[in-house]
Amino acid sequence: LAVAVAVKDFEDEDVFIPAAVEYDPDAKPPMYKNRRFRMYGLLSCTLLIMLVACAMGLMAFQQEQEQKAAAQNVPSGPPTCERCSMGIEEQLELEVGSEKLNDPSTSEYLAKEWIIH
């Protein structure tokens, strides 16, 4: 058998009743409180830090290699043209003479420079 008990009348209708709090079953927590979001965020930050560290290490290694290569390089000799070593000047000196070939104001000098260069 059930016994009925009288309910007390509340004079104040704005009284907080914990059992009467409304709950929305479709409500979702904010995105930043989601476990999956936190995990992927942490993984992406870790990956970003690793990429930056690797890039900095690679750049430091590359600079070190360049410095070593620069220290080992010896400058080459001055550039020379292939025609200068063929003996064209000597042959022209026999035909024209060295006075005209070495004077920049003569046409023979200009012709020699044009042939060689």
Side-chain angles (χ1 to χ4, degrees), residues 83-115:
R83 292 182 183 173
C84 293
S85 62
M86 292 175 63
I88 295 175
E89 274 192 69
E90 290 82 16
Q91 290 179 359
L92 290 175
E93 282 181 6
L94 291 173
E95 292 293 325
V96 178
S98 62
E99 300 85 30
K100 290 182 180 178
L101 282 179
N102 295 329
D103 185 15
S105 62
T106 63
S107 60
E108 287 84 0
Y109 175 81
L110 296 174
K112 176 191 79 160
E113 290 296 315
W114 181 79
I115 291 171

PDB file of all heavy atoms in Angstrom, residues 83-115:
ATOM      1  N   ARG A  83      92.944  31.292 -77.079  1.00  0.00           N
ATOM      2  CA  ARG A  83      93.663  31.819 -78.240  1.00  0.00           C
ATOM      3  C   ARG A  83      94.965  32.502 -77.836  1.00  0.00           C
ATOM      4  O   ARG A  83      95.890  32.619 -78.640  1.00  0.00           O
ATOM      5  CB  ARG A  83      92.780  32.796 -79.002  1.00  0.00           C
ATOM      6  CG  ARG A  83      91.615  32.120 -79.677  1.00  0.00           C
ATOM      7  CD  ARG A  83      90.821  33.125 -80.454  1.00  0.00           C
ATOM      8  NE  ARG A  83      89.652  32.500 -81.041  1.00  0.00           N
ATOM      9  CZ  ARG A  83      88.714  33.156 -81.664  1.00  0.00           C
ATOM     10  NH1 ARG A  83      88.794  34.466 -81.774  1.00  0.00           N
ATOM     11  NH2 ARG A  83      87.686  32.536 -82.178  1.00  0.00           N
ATOM     12  N   CYS A  84      95.037  32.987 -76.568  1.00  0.00           N
ATOM     13  CA  CYS A  84      96.264  33.659 -76.130  1.00  0.00           C
ATOM     14  C   CYS A  84      97.430  32.680 -76.095  1.00  0.00           C
ATOM     15  O   CYS A  84      98.584  33.063 -76.288  1.00  0.00           O
ATOM     16  CB  CYS A  84      96.081  34.272 -74.748  1.00  0.00           C
ATOM     17  SG  CYS A  84      94.905  35.630 -74.713  1.00  0.00           S
ATOM     18  N   SER A  85      97.155  31.433 -75.816  1.00  0.00           N
ATOM     19  CA  SER A  85      98.220  30.442 -75.699  1.00  0.00           C
ATOM     20  C   SER A  85      98.513  29.722 -77.016  1.00  0.00           C
ATOM     21  O   SER A  85      99.333  28.810 -77.049  1.00  0.00           O
ATOM     22  CB  SER A  85      97.837  29.419 -74.620  1.00  0.00           C
ATOM     23  OG  SER A  85      96.658  28.736 -74.998  1.00  0.00           O
ATOM     24  N   MET A  86      97.856  30.103 -78.098  1.00  0.00           N
ATOM     25  CA  MET A  86      98.055  29.417 -79.379  1.00  0.00           C
ATOM     26  C   MET A  86      99.233  29.976 -80.175  1.00  0.00           C
ATOM     27  O   MET A  86      99.635  29.403 -81.188  1.00  0.00           O
ATOM     28  CB  MET A  86      96.785  29.508 -80.232  1.00  0.00           C
ATOM     29  CG  MET A  86      95.634  28.712 -79.663  1.00  0.00           C
ATOM     30  SD  MET A  86      94.109  28.911 -80.568  1.00  0.00           S
ATOM     31  CE  MET A  86      94.513  28.252 -82.156  1.00  0.00           C
ATOM     32  N   GLY A  87      99.798  31.081 -79.782  1.00  0.00           N
ATOM     33  CA  GLY A  87     100.952  31.638 -80.492  1.00  0.00           C
ATOM     34  C   GLY A  87     100.585  32.589 -81.608  1.00  0.00           C
ATOM     35  O   GLY A  87     101.405  32.855 -82.500  1.00  0.00           O
ATOM     36  N   ILE A  88      99.377  33.127 -81.570  1.00  0.00           N
ATOM     37  CA  ILE A  88      98.946  34.047 -82.615  1.00  0.00           C
ATOM     38  C   ILE A  88      99.729  35.351 -82.533  1.00  0.00           C
ATOM     39  O   ILE A  88     100.126  35.924 -83.564  1.00  0.00           O
ATOM     40  CB  ILE A  88      97.429  34.307 -82.521  1.00  0.00           C
ATOM     41  CG1 ILE A  88      96.669  33.017 -82.810  1.00  0.00           C
ATOM     42  CG2 ILE A  88      96.991  35.408 -83.442  1.00  0.00           C
ATOM     43  CD1 ILE A  88      95.180  33.116 -82.644  1.00  0.00           C
ATOM     44  N   GLU A  89     100.013  35.826 -81.316  1.00  0.00           N
ATOM     45  CA  GLU A  89     100.743  37.090 -81.150  1.00  0.00           C
ATOM     46  C   GLU A  89     102.134  37.012 -81.753  1.00  0.00           C
ATOM     47  O   GLU A  89     102.589  37.957 -82.420  1.00  0.00           O
ATOM     48  CB  GLU A  89     100.842  37.454 -79.664  1.00  0.00           C
ATOM     49  CG  GLU A  89      99.648  38.201 -79.147  1.00  0.00           C
ATOM     50  CD  GLU A  89      99.917  38.773 -77.777  1.00  0.00           C
ATOM     51  OE1 GLU A  89     100.746  39.699 -77.675  1.00  0.00           O
ATOM     52  OE2 GLU A  89      99.297  38.286 -76.825  1.00  0.00           O
ATOM     53  N   GLU A  90     102.799  35.897 -81.539  1.00  0.00           N
ATOM     54  CA  GLU A  90     104.163  35.744 -82.076  1.00  0.00           C
ATOM     55  C   GLU A  90     104.150  35.783 -83.606  1.00  0.00           C
ATOM     56  O   GLU A  90     105.027  36.394 -84.235  1.00  0.00           O
ATOM     57  CB  GLU A  90     104.791  34.439 -81.584  1.00  0.00           C
ATOM     58  CG  GLU A  90     105.128  34.445 -80.097  1.00  0.00           C
ATOM     59  CD  GLU A  90     103.922  34.119 -79.228  1.00  0.00           C
ATOM     60  OE1 GLU A  90     102.916  33.606 -79.748  1.00  0.00           O
ATOM     61  OE2 GLU A  90     103.993  34.414 -78.027  1.00  0.00           O
ATOM     62  N   GLN A  91     103.177  35.120 -84.204  1.00  0.00           N
ATOM     63  CA  GLN A  91     103.089  35.118 -85.665  1.00  0.00           C
ATOM     64  C   GLN A  91     102.777  36.515 -86.204  1.00  0.00           C
ATOM     65  O   GLN A  91     103.336  36.950 -87.219  1.00  0.00           O
ATOM     66  CB  GLN A  91     102.036  34.120 -86.140  1.00  0.00           C
ATOM     67  CG  GLN A  91     102.431  32.681 -85.920  1.00  0.00           C
ATOM     68  CD  GLN A  91     101.344  31.723 -86.376  1.00  0.00           C
ATOM     69  OE1 GLN A  91     100.289  32.133 -86.833  1.00  0.00           O
ATOM     70  NE2 GLN A  91     101.631  30.425 -86.259  1.00  0.00           N
ATOM     71  N   LEU A  92     101.901  37.236 -85.515  1.00  0.00           N
ATOM     72  CA  LEU A  92     101.586  38.598 -85.948  1.00  0.00           C
ATOM     73  C   LEU A  92     102.779  39.527 -85.785  1.00  0.00           C
ATOM     74  O   LEU A  92     102.994  40.429 -86.610  1.00  0.00           O
ATOM     75  CB  LEU A  92     100.366  39.133 -85.187  1.00  0.00           C
ATOM     76  CG  LEU A  92      99.012  38.507 -85.520  1.00  0.00           C
ATOM     77  CD1 LEU A  92      97.944  39.060 -84.597  1.00  0.00           C
ATOM     78  CD2 LEU A  92      98.649  38.768 -86.973  1.00  0.00           C
ATOM     79  N   GLU A  93     103.567  39.345 -84.729  1.00  0.00           N
ATOM     80  CA  GLU A  93     104.763  40.170 -84.527  1.00  0.00           C
ATOM     81  C   GLU A  93     105.781  39.940 -85.642  1.00  0.00           C
ATOM     82  O   GLU A  93     106.473  40.868 -86.050  1.00  0.00           O
ATOM     83  CB  GLU A  93     105.392  39.869 -83.156  1.00  0.00           C
ATOM     84  CG  GLU A  93     104.682  40.515 -82.006  1.00  0.00           C
ATOM     85  CD  GLU A  93     105.348  40.200 -80.670  1.00  0.00           C
ATOM     86  OE1 GLU A  93     106.432  39.575 -80.643  1.00  0.00           O
ATOM     87  OE2 GLU A  93     104.783  40.580 -79.644  1.00  0.00           O
ATOM     88  N   LEU A  94     105.873  38.704 -86.127  1.00  0.00           N
ATOM     89  CA  LEU A  94     106.791  38.427 -87.233  1.00  0.00           C
ATOM     90  C   LEU A  94     106.343  39.142 -88.502  1.00  0.00           C
ATOM     91  O   LEU A  94     107.183  39.616 -89.291  1.00  0.00           O
ATOM     92  CB  LEU A  94     106.897  36.917 -87.490  1.00  0.00           C
ATOM     93  CG  LEU A  94     107.599  36.101 -86.406  1.00  0.00           C
ATOM     94  CD1 LEU A  94     107.481  34.617 -86.721  1.00  0.00           C
ATOM     95  CD2 LEU A  94     109.050  36.519 -86.288  1.00  0.00           C
ATOM     96  N   GLU A  95     105.043  39.230 -88.728  1.00  0.00           N
ATOM     97  CA  GLU A  95     104.520  39.842 -89.957  1.00  0.00           C
ATOM     98  C   GLU A  95     104.487  41.369 -89.870  1.00  0.00           C
ATOM     99  O   GLU A  95     104.871  42.058 -90.798  1.00  0.00           O
ATOM    100  CB  GLU A  95     103.106  39.327 -90.255  1.00  0.00           C
ATOM    101  CG  GLU A  95     103.045  37.881 -90.632  1.00  0.00           C
ATOM    102  CD  GLU A  95     103.718  37.583 -91.959  1.00  0.00           C
ATOM    103  OE1 GLU A  95     103.661  38.431 -92.875  1.00  0.00           O
ATOM    104  OE2 GLU A  95     104.328  36.515 -92.080  1.00  0.00           O
ATOM    105  N   VAL A  96     103.985  41.899 -88.731  1.00  0.00           N
ATOM    106  CA  VAL A  96     103.734  43.333 -88.629  1.00  0.00           C
ATOM    107  C   VAL A  96     104.843  44.053 -87.871  1.00  0.00           C
ATOM    108  O   VAL A  96     105.204  45.179 -88.222  1.00  0.00           O
ATOM    109  CB  VAL A  96     102.362  43.588 -87.948  1.00  0.00           C
ATOM    110  CG1 VAL A  96     102.087  45.064 -87.782  1.00  0.00           C
ATOM    111  CG2 VAL A  96     101.260  42.921 -88.720  1.00  0.00           C
ATOM    112  N   GLY A  97     105.342  43.449 -86.829  1.00  0.00           N
ATOM    113  CA  GLY A  97     106.322  44.114 -85.978  1.00  0.00           C
ATOM    114  C   GLY A  97     105.706  44.405 -84.607  1.00  0.00           C
ATOM    115  O   GLY A  97     104.518  44.706 -84.494  1.00  0.00           O
ATOM    116  N   SER A  98     106.536  44.353 -83.583  1.00  0.00           N
ATOM    117  CA  SER A  98     106.021  44.507 -82.218  1.00  0.00           C
ATOM    118  C   SER A  98     105.652  45.951 -81.888  1.00  0.00           C
ATOM    119  O   SER A  98     104.833  46.195 -81.016  1.00  0.00           O
ATOM    120  CB  SER A  98     107.040  43.981 -81.209  1.00  0.00           C
ATOM    121  OG  SER A  98     108.222  44.728 -81.307  1.00  0.00           O
ATOM    122  N   GLU A  99     106.277  46.960 -82.604  1.00  0.00           N
ATOM    123  CA  GLU A  99     105.954  48.351 -82.301  1.00  0.00           C
ATOM    124  C   GLU A  99     104.502  48.661 -82.628  1.00  0.00           C
ATOM    125  O   GLU A  99     103.796  49.304 -81.844  1.00  0.00           O
ATOM    126  CB  GLU A  99     106.845  49.313 -83.099  1.00  0.00           C
ATOM    127  CG  GLU A  99     108.319  49.200 -82.857  1.00  0.00           C
ATOM    128  CD  GLU A  99     108.947  48.108 -83.741  1.00  0.00           C
ATOM    129  OE1 GLU A  99     108.443  47.861 -84.850  1.00  0.00           O
ATOM    130  OE2 GLU A  99     109.928  47.511 -83.298  1.00  0.00           O
ATOM    131  N   LYS A 100     104.026  48.195 -83.780  1.00  0.00           N
ATOM    132  CA  LYS A 100     102.649  48.484 -84.189  1.00  0.00           C
ATOM    133  C   LYS A 100     101.651  47.649 -83.396  1.00  0.00           C
ATOM    134  O   LYS A 100     100.548  48.105 -83.092  1.00  0.00           O
ATOM    135  CB  LYS A 100     102.467  48.207 -85.684  1.00  0.00           C
ATOM    136  CG  LYS A 100     103.188  49.188 -86.573  1.00  0.00           C
ATOM    137  CD  LYS A 100     102.911  48.878 -88.017  1.00  0.00           C
ATOM    138  CE  LYS A 100     103.641  49.852 -88.922  1.00  0.00           C
ATOM    139  NZ  LYS A 100     103.424  49.559 -90.332  1.00  0.00           N
ATOM    140  N   LEU A 101     102.013  46.403 -83.030  1.00  0.00           N
ATOM    141  CA  LEU A 101     101.074  45.538 -82.282  1.00  0.00           C
ATOM    142  C   LEU A 101     100.884  45.986 -80.837  1.00  0.00           C
ATOM    143  O   LEU A 101      99.856  45.729 -80.243  1.00  0.00           O
ATOM    144  CB  LEU A 101     101.567  44.084 -82.294  1.00  0.00           C
ATOM    145  CG  LEU A 101     101.312  43.298 -83.567  1.00  0.00           C
ATOM    146  CD1 LEU A 101     101.867  41.901 -83.446  1.00  0.00           C
ATOM    147  CD2 LEU A 101      99.838  43.241 -83.883  1.00  0.00           C
ATOM    148  N   ASN A 102     101.840  46.664 -80.233  1.00  0.00           N
ATOM    149  CA  ASN A 102     101.745  47.066 -78.830  1.00  0.00           C
ATOM    150  C   ASN A 102     101.302  48.508 -78.647  1.00  0.00           C
ATOM    151  O   ASN A 102     101.135  48.954 -77.520  1.00  0.00           O
ATOM    152  CB  ASN A 102     103.089  46.840 -78.136  1.00  0.00           C
ATOM    153  CG  ASN A 102     103.432  45.362 -78.077  1.00  0.00           C
ATOM    154  OD1 ASN A 102     102.550  44.525 -78.007  1.00  0.00           O
ATOM    155  ND2 ASN A 102     104.715  45.063 -78.121  1.00  0.00           N
ATOM    156  N   ASP A 103     101.075  49.246 -79.718  1.00  0.00           N
ATOM    157  CA  ASP A 103     100.613  50.633 -79.650  1.00  0.00           C
ATOM    158  C   ASP A 103      99.084  50.641 -79.759  1.00  0.00           C
ATOM    159  O   ASP A 103      98.530  50.316 -80.805  1.00  0.00           O
ATOM    160  CB  ASP A 103     101.238  51.445 -80.777  1.00  0.00           C
ATOM    161  CG  ASP A 103     100.891  52.924 -80.683  1.00  0.00           C
ATOM    162  OD1 ASP A 103     100.411  53.345 -79.600  1.00  0.00           O
ATOM    163  OD2 ASP A 103     101.101  53.636 -81.668  1.00  0.00           O
ATOM    164  N   PRO A 104      98.358  51.010 -78.707  1.00  0.00           N
ATOM    165  CA  PRO A 104      96.897  50.957 -78.724  1.00  0.00           C
ATOM    166  C   PRO A 104      96.235  51.891 -79.743  1.00  0.00           C
ATOM    167  O   PRO A 104      95.057  51.726 -80.054  1.00  0.00           O
ATOM    168  CB  PRO A 104      96.489  51.363 -77.306  1.00  0.00           C
ATOM    169  CG  PRO A 104      97.698  51.180 -76.476  1.00  0.00           C
ATOM    170  CD  PRO A 104      98.869  51.353 -77.383  1.00  0.00           C
ATOM    171  N   SER A 105      96.956  52.836 -80.303  1.00  0.00           N
ATOM    172  CA  SER A 105      96.335  53.767 -81.242  1.00  0.00           C
ATOM    173  C   SER A 105      96.345  53.243 -82.680  1.00  0.00           C
ATOM    174  O   SER A 105      95.732  53.851 -83.553  1.00  0.00           O
ATOM    175  CB  SER A 105      97.038  55.122 -81.174  1.00  0.00           C
ATOM    176  OG  SER A 105      98.394  54.963 -81.563  1.00  0.00           O
ATOM    177  N   THR A 106      97.021  52.133 -82.949  1.00  0.00           N
ATOM    178  CA  THR A 106      97.108  51.622 -84.324  1.00  0.00           C
ATOM    179  C   THR A 106      95.998  50.617 -84.611  1.00  0.00           C
ATOM    180  O   THR A 106      95.435  49.992 -83.714  1.00  0.00           O
ATOM    181  CB  THR A 106      98.475  50.945 -84.550  1.00  0.00           C
ATOM    182  OG1 THR A 106      98.583  49.831 -83.678  1.00  0.00           O
ATOM    183  CG2 THR A 106      99.618  51.913 -84.327  1.00  0.00           C
ATOM    184  N   SER A 107      95.729  50.493 -85.902  1.00  0.00           N
ATOM    185  CA  SER A 107      94.701  49.532 -86.315  1.00  0.00           C
ATOM    186  C   SER A 107      95.190  48.093 -86.175  1.00  0.00           C
ATOM    187  O   SER A 107      94.393  47.177 -85.985  1.00  0.00           O
ATOM    188  CB  SER A 107      94.277  49.808 -87.755  1.00  0.00           C
ATOM    189  OG  SER A 107      95.396  49.694 -88.618  1.00  0.00           O
ATOM    190  N   GLU A 108      96.517  47.867 -86.243  1.00  0.00           N
ATOM    191  CA  GLU A 108      97.063  46.519 -86.058  1.00  0.00           C
ATOM    192  C   GLU A 108      96.800  46.006 -84.634  1.00  0.00           C
ATOM    193  O   GLU A 108      96.484  44.846 -84.424  1.00  0.00           O
ATOM    194  CB  GLU A 108      98.574  46.498 -86.354  1.00  0.00           C
ATOM    195  CG  GLU A 108      98.928  46.617 -87.810  1.00  0.00           C
ATOM    196  CD  GLU A 108      98.968  48.062 -88.290  1.00  0.00           C
ATOM    197  OE1 GLU A 108      98.723  48.975 -87.471  1.00  0.00           O
ATOM    198  OE2 GLU A 108      99.229  48.268 -89.485  1.00  0.00           O
ATOM    199  N   TYR A 109      96.966  46.909 -83.654  1.00  0.00           N
ATOM    200  CA  TYR A 109      96.687  46.538 -82.264  1.00  0.00           C
ATOM    201  C   TYR A 109      95.220  46.160 -82.099  1.00  0.00           C
ATOM    202  O   TYR A 109      94.886  45.172 -81.454  1.00  0.00           O
ATOM    203  CB  TYR A 109      97.055  47.697 -81.324  1.00  0.00           C
ATOM    204  CG  TYR A 109      96.691  47.451 -79.887  1.00  0.00           C
ATOM    205  CD1 TYR A 109      97.501  46.692 -79.071  1.00  0.00           C
ATOM    206  CD2 TYR A 109      95.516  47.986 -79.332  1.00  0.00           C
ATOM    207  CE1 TYR A 109      97.170  46.457 -77.753  1.00  0.00           C
ATOM    208  CE2 TYR A 109      95.179  47.775 -78.027  1.00  0.00           C
ATOM    209  CZ  TYR A 109      95.997  46.995 -77.235  1.00  0.00           C
ATOM    210  OH  TYR A 109      95.658  46.758 -75.931  1.00  0.00           O
ATOM    211  N   LEU A 110      94.311  46.962 -82.670  1.00  0.00           N
ATOM    212  CA  LEU A 110      92.880  46.678 -82.597  1.00  0.00           C
ATOM    213  C   LEU A 110      92.556  45.355 -83.285  1.00  0.00           C
ATOM    214  O   LEU A 110      91.719  44.565 -82.798  1.00  0.00           O
ATOM    215  CB  LEU A 110      92.075  47.825 -83.195  1.00  0.00           C
ATOM    216  CG  LEU A 110      92.189  49.171 -82.473  1.00  0.00           C
ATOM    217  CD1 LEU A 110      91.454  50.247 -83.264  1.00  0.00           C
ATOM    218  CD2 LEU A 110      91.675  49.071 -81.062  1.00  0.00           C
ATOM    219  N   ALA A 111      93.198  45.069 -84.435  1.00  0.00           N
ATOM    220  CA  ALA A 111      92.962  43.813 -85.131  1.00  0.00           C
ATOM    221  C   ALA A 111      93.440  42.632 -84.296  1.00  0.00           C
ATOM    222  O   ALA A 111      92.780  41.586 -84.220  1.00  0.00           O
ATOM    223  CB  ALA A 111      93.670  43.837 -86.484  1.00  0.00           C
ATOM    224  N   LYS A 112      94.620  42.775 -83.657  1.00  0.00           N
ATOM    225  CA  LYS A 112      95.148  41.706 -82.788  1.00  0.00           C
ATOM    226  C   LYS A 112      94.181  41.433 -81.619  1.00  0.00           C
ATOM    227  O   LYS A 112      93.874  40.280 -81.315  1.00  0.00           O
ATOM    228  CB  LYS A 112      96.527  42.089 -82.258  1.00  0.00           C
ATOM    229  CG  LYS A 112      97.095  41.063 -81.266  1.00  0.00           C
ATOM    230  CD  LYS A 112      98.310  41.577 -80.551  1.00  0.00           C
ATOM    231  CE  LYS A 112      97.837  42.499 -79.456  1.00  0.00           C
ATOM    232  NZ  LYS A 112      98.752  42.756 -78.390  1.00  0.00           N
ATOM    233  N   GLU A 113      93.705  42.484 -80.985  1.00  0.00           N
ATOM    234  CA  GLU A 113      92.769  42.312 -79.874  1.00  0.00           C
ATOM    235  C   GLU A 113      91.471  41.666 -80.330  1.00  0.00           C
ATOM    236  O   GLU A 113      90.904  40.823 -79.633  1.00  0.00           O
ATOM    237  CB  GLU A 113      92.478  43.673 -79.222  1.00  0.00           C
ATOM    238  CG  GLU A 113      93.654  44.254 -78.466  1.00  0.00           C
ATOM    239  CD  GLU A 113      94.049  43.381 -77.279  1.00  0.00           C
ATOM    240  OE1 GLU A 113      93.156  42.928 -76.531  1.00  0.00           O
ATOM    241  OE2 GLU A 113      95.254  43.168 -77.102  1.00  0.00           O
ATOM    242  N   TRP A 114      91.010  42.014 -81.523  1.00  0.00           N
ATOM    243  CA  TRP A 114      89.774  41.426 -82.040  1.00  0.00           C
ATOM    244  C   TRP A 114      89.959  39.940 -82.328  1.00  0.00           C
ATOM    245  O   TRP A 114      89.107  39.135 -82.048  1.00  0.00           O
ATOM    246  CB  TRP A 114      89.362  42.172 -83.302  1.00  0.00           C
ATOM    247  CG  TRP A 114      88.076  41.661 -83.892  1.00  0.00           C
ATOM    248  CD1 TRP A 114      86.827  41.945 -83.471  1.00  0.00           C
ATOM    249  CD2 TRP A 114      87.943  40.761 -84.988  1.00  0.00           C
ATOM    250  NE1 TRP A 114      85.900  41.283 -84.230  1.00  0.00           N
ATOM    251  CE2 TRP A 114      86.572  40.551 -85.187  1.00  0.00           C
ATOM    252  CE3 TRP A 114      88.849  40.134 -85.836  1.00  0.00           C
ATOM    253  CZ2 TRP A 114      86.073  39.721 -86.173  1.00  0.00           C
ATOM    254  CZ3 TRP A 114      88.347  39.306 -86.827  1.00  0.00           C
ATOM    255  CH2 TRP A 114      86.988  39.112 -86.988  1.00  0.00           C
ATOM    256  N   ILE A 115      91.124  39.581 -82.893  1.00  0.00           N
ATOM    257  CA  ILE A 115      91.376  38.168 -83.207  1.00  0.00           C
ATOM    258  C   ILE A 115      91.517  37.341 -81.925  1.00  0.00           C
ATOM    259  O   ILE A 115      90.966  36.245 -81.825  1.00  0.00           O
ATOM    260  CB  ILE A 115      92.660  38.047 -84.076  1.00  0.00           C
ATOM    261  CG1 ILE A 115      92.405  38.620 -85.461  1.00  0.00           C
ATOM    262  CG2 ILE A 115      93.102  36.593 -84.178  1.00  0.00           C
ATOM    263  CD1 ILE A 115      93.677  38.735 -86.306  1.00  0.00           C
TER     264      ILE A 115
END
